[in-house]
Amino acid sequence: MNGAESLVKTLLAGGVDVCFANPGTSEMHFVAALDSHPEMRCILGLHETVVTGAADGYARMADKPAATLLHLGPGLGNGLANIHNARRARTPMVNVVGEHAREHKAYNAPLTTDIEGIAGPVSDWVRTIASPDTVGRDTAAAIREAARKPGQISTLILPADIAWSPSIGPSEVTPADAAPVASGAEIDRIAALLKSGAPTVLLLGDAALREEPLNMAGRIAAKTGCSLLGPLSNRRMSRGAGRVPLNRVPYVVDMAQALLEPFEHMVIIGAREPVAFFGYPDSPSRLCPDSCQIHTLADASYDLPATLEALADAVGARQAQPVVNALDRPAVPTGDIDQDKIALMIAALLPENAVVADESITTGRMFFPATHTAPPHDWVQITGGAIGIGPPLATGAAIGAPGRKVVSLQADGSGLYSAQALWTQAREGLDVTTLVFANHSYAILQGEMRKVGVENPGRNAIDMLSLDRPRIDWVHLAKGYGVPAARATSMEELGDAFGRGLAEPGPYLIEVAM
Ligand SMILES: Cc1ncc(C[n+]2csc(CCOP(=O)(O)OP(=O)(O)O)c2C)c(N)n1
């Protein structure tokens, strides 16, 4: 057995059986090893940003890591933005990056780079495999580190000669250590705070946003009168009918400040203190009022469901009835298309148990209120602010959640960073219905420009923030990648096309004229 085979066998032994890939020459022995293991599902992405974004979407839904296969430093570099997003989401991921054969490195061939240097800032764990006999052990360590709560990025660098040399074989993967529960003393302190009646908000993040822990938080809120809130950007939220309604900290600083203003205490469970996305002149970075005390009961590395259960017990909330959303399917709106009507249409038509992948940027800023009452669904979104995750995220989510419809809510500018993920959706026959909000601009940045006081932008600024010269035709673009598509210019057309996309298996794209 060679090193590459040891690596594949160890991945499989560790439950990693999906590999998103864009290989090159230095990875050919690894490709051959993958080929001799059909139990590993290999999925080609036509750019590394598709590979890493899809691995993120997969892990968010499958609750276990995928592997990626990336070609030396430049391949890894192409995938960095979505590795960054995955790290912000605390998604587990095992990147396998090919490297030149060790002797060949000395000759400074064209693809030679400092791979560890490129990987370091976006990885929680990096290792270059040093011997064919440690491949199994190093791969097992990479999987174990990726699985460390709440989820980490492992990057394993595989020199070509180690891939092709004889190896002692795979290793067993030992499970990651159990996550801790908040201490009894801390639980009691927070319970006393909640019982005091002081205006308090629980900020819930990460695993606390799944159905059961969210329900437990709802019981605590029902019993104590505290408020519940989620961070702006989240890996995965359980939403819809029967679930506890949860709004997020708004993007716009004034709105966030207004929402947080009344609270004397913020209790953090699986999140971080909310801060503004950017700094602005004369605008704060922290969003809570200075008078608000921040209490971190548990960061995301804790066992959040068990921590919420312990807190519920401490305030006597186990039997309390949480407020949950009732199912409400509004009629599909008619007439001109606008953001509020799109939200209502989603609530009207979203299938039960759908997965919503959200990179809708400006158009989707207010999608949450109207979609609380849709049937139960999961919502995954861009987490690290690096745009271009939407099409791959939806692609990976569809592979990680087979049998569930994925609805991809996509801003046009962001979608163009990784539109070729549509080809992977077509090739794999993935059940993804994409709505592209075609405002033909970087609308969010036009707003940011106004915020810095530029009311009448000139030619350079207009050209940097608009996409309409020429307009991109998403219907042809999608069809070119093998995805059937339609354009909607009214709510009637949009409702029909969305219904069609949801009814038919496989990918479908609708360009929504905004
Ligand atoms: C990787 C990366 N490059 C650039 C940016 C800067 N940026 C933020 S939003 C944006 C444009 C978004 O436009 P679009 O996706 O069309 O959203 P809209 O606001 O129009 O809905 C850009 C370029 C970024 N956030 N991430």
Side-chain angles (χ1 to χ4, degrees), residues 181-457:
V181 180
S183 75
E186 269 298 276
I187 295 278
D188 289 346
R189 188 176 74 80
I190 299 300
L193 179 73
L194 288 168
K195 286 186 199 158
S196 76
T200 301
V201 58
L202 301 191
L203 184 74
L204 305 166
D206 207 84
L209 300 175
R210 302 286 278 272
E211 182 167 12
E212 287 304 319
L214 195 52
N215 188 282
M216 200 54 70
R219 289 170 200 263
I220 295 167
K223 176 77 182 183
T224 67
C226 72
S227 299
L228 304 177
L229 202 57
L232 173 63
S233 310
N234 300 291
R235 176 171 62 199
R236 174 173 168 183
M237 300 179 79
S238 300
R239 304 189 68 243
R243 271 89 183 257
V244 172
L246 194 76
N247 283 316
R248 295 174 299 169
V249 176
Y251 173 81
V252 178
V253 172
D254 298 349
M255 288 171 69
Q257 284 184 298
L259 185 71
L260 294 167
E261 217 279 318
F263 297 111
E264 290 174 15
H265 300 275
M266 171 177 279
V267 176
I268 293 182
I269 301 177
R272 295 199 188 110
E273 181 187 343
V275 295
F277 225 82
F278 295 103
Y280 303 92
D282 307 318
S283 180
S285 294
R286 298 180 62 206
L287 297 173
C288 292
D290 287 342
S291 54
C292 179
Q293 284 185 47
I294 311 286
H295 312 265
T296 301
L297 177 60
D299 67 26
S301 68
Y302 278 67
D303 182 335
L304 303 179
T307 296
L308 277 160
E309 282 174 20
L311 187 59
D313 286 339
V315 297
R318 273 290 180 138
Q319 306 308 323
Q321 281 305 312
V323 173
V324 295
N325 300 307
L327 179 67
D328 181 15
R329 293 278 212 185
V332 178
T334 56
D336 292 342
I337 295 174
D338 69 33
Q339 307 175 0
D340 296 339
K341 290 183 191 171
I342 296 170
L344 287 169
M345 183 200 69
I346 294 167
L349 299 180
L350 193 72
E352 184 153 351
N353 216 18
V355 179
V356 177
D358 178 7
E359 190 178 40
S360 55
I361 316 285
T362 304
T363 303
R365 210 168 264 169
M366 293 307 290
F367 279 172
F368 258 41
T371 55
H372 279 313
T373 60
H377 59 276
D378 282 302
W379 196 282
V380 297
Q381 56 173 146
I382 177 171
T383 43
I387 60 172
I389 194 176
L393 188 70
T395 304
I399 293 163
R404 299 175 66 176
K405 198 83 187 179
V406 176
V407 172
S408 174
L409 303 177
Q410 186 59 55
D412 56 354
S414 301
L416 288 165
Y417 285 62
S418 51
Q420 63 271 53
L422 293 170
W423 178 85
T424 304
Q425 292 176 13
R427 175 188 242 203
E428 301 289 331
L430 302 177
D431 251 341
V432 182
T433 301
T434 300
L435 303 183
V436 175
F437 304 118
N439 58 15
H440 303 285
S441 69
Y442 287 166
I444 187 172
L445 297 187
Q446 293 176 346
E448 298 288 349
M449 186 101 198
R450 283 191 291 277
K451 265 195 231 164
V452 300
V454 180
E455 284 301 334
N456 295 307

Side-chain angles (χ1 to χ4, degrees), residues 76-144:
L76 171 64
N78 276 345
L80 281 196
N82 277 335
I83 299 178
H84 161 82
N85 281 324
R87 190 163 187 233
R88 283 284 162 168
R90 302 194 179 87
T91 299
M93 187 182 292
V94 179
N95 298 309
V96 179
V97 184
E99 167 65 298
H100 282 312
R102 285 168 296 171
E103 282 196 2
H104 192 63
K105 253 202 116 174
Y107 297 96
N108 197 18
L111 276 159
T112 306
T113 57
D114 175 3
I115 302 180
E116 286 193 5
I118 296 169
V122 292
S123 304
D124 299 289
W125 182 96
V126 181
R127 183 174 296 170
T128 302
I129 303 175
S131 151
D133 287 338
T134 64
V135 172
R137 204 179 68 198
D138 292 338
T139 307
I143 297 169
R144 192 183 141 88

